[in-house]
Amino acid sequence: LSEARRHFRRAVRMHPDEHEFQFALARVEYELGNLRRASRYLGRARSIGPAHYAERYQAKLDSINEARER
């Protein structure tokens, strides 16, 4: 996961407007237990991704935010 995070961070730096890289990085951060970072990257993915992804990203973001509140 650490290696995946390194690669996706690089991808995000190179292509900051690519929502799929933001989402992938959010998933890695989630798996590593970094919920705050996962939320941040998911929020970015939601804001830059196509409209038909917004609901999907928002649902995942809501789940993470609920987990953070526990």
Side-chain angles (χ1 to χ4, degrees):
L1 287 173
S2 295
E3 187 174 340
R5 177 171 49 185
R6 187 172 55 251
H7 288 292
F8 283 123
R9 281 183 176 171
R10 185 168 187 232
V12 164
R13 280 193 307 272
M14 293 173 69
H15 306 282
D17 294 330
E18 186 61 51
H19 71 100
E20 291 171 331
F21 293 151
Q22 300 282 346
F23 177 67
L25 188 50
R27 289 185 64 186
V28 170
E29 293 294 355
Y30 178 83
E31 291 296 324
L32 289 169
N34 300 321
L35 301 183
R36 181 174 287 163
R37 287 182 184 168
S39 290
R40 183 173 23 148
Y41 291 118
L42 257 176
R44 288 181 188 165
R46 184 194 63 211
S47 68
I48 63 175
H52 63 275
Y53 280 90
E55 187 175 320
R56 173 184 175 198
Y57 290 152
Q58 185 61 52
K60 293 181 183 307
L61 191 56
D62 291 344
S63 294
I64 289 174
N65 288 334
E66 287 177 18
R68 286 178 59 194
E69 291 174 2
R70 292 184 203 152

